[in-house]
Amino acid sequence: MSQDWMLLGLAYLAAKHAIADFFLQTKYQYANKGVYGHPGGLLHVLIHGALSMPLLLILPPKTAMYGILILGAEILVHYHCDWAKEKIVKGNGWLFTNDNFWRAMGIDQLIHGLTYLAMVRALV
């Protein structure tokens, strides 16, 4: 697999993340991500998983099962990362005007980005 294909895969996932987190995420989703098992948080990560599926056309997995495992891992990591961030942010009463809110948001986004690196690496 060429470096160009790897970069295309990463670019796709970065764009997908922006769309799913900042354009398709509704108040129902983001208001409930801190409640473990709530349908709002589950819907959010299922949207991420569905939008990640075309990556498997860009970087085809060795087997369909391998692709399913990669998408499942993304969903699990994304869900728990968002849940933990919400528990920390809300538990401390941090609002968007607080520096720690933005630090938590930055760490959350970093973990998502590193997850995408791991996904592409697993596919190549």
Side-chain angles (χ1 to χ4, degrees), residues 82-100:
D82 282 2
W83 175 79
K85 180 199 58 154
E86 288 299 309
K87 294 301 284 185
I88 292 167
V89 166
K90 289 180 180 174
N92 287 296
W94 298 338
L95 303 174
F96 70 91
T97 55
N98 184 283
D99 290 345
N100 285 330

Side-chain angles (χ1 to χ4, degrees), residues 39-59:
L42 296 172
L43 175 61
H44 175 66
V45 297
L46 290 175
I47 289 169
H48 270 279
L51 293 177
S52 290
M53 285 182 178
L55 174 68
L56 304 182
L57 298 174
I58 296 170
L59 303 172

Side-chain angles (χ1 to χ4, degrees), residues 56 60-72 118-119 121-124:
L56 304 182
K62 296 167 182 71
T63 66
M65 182 56 77
Y66 193 62
I68 291 167
L69 288 173
I70 290 169
L71 291 176
M119 289 170 66
R121 177 61 185 103
L123 286 166
V124 299

Side-chain angles (χ1 to χ4, degrees), residues 104-120:
M105 180 69 81
I107 291 168
D108 171 78
Q109 295 301 301
L110 174 64
I111 292 169
H112 294 319
L114 292 174
T115 301
Y116 299 143
L117 284 171
M119 289 170 66
V120 169

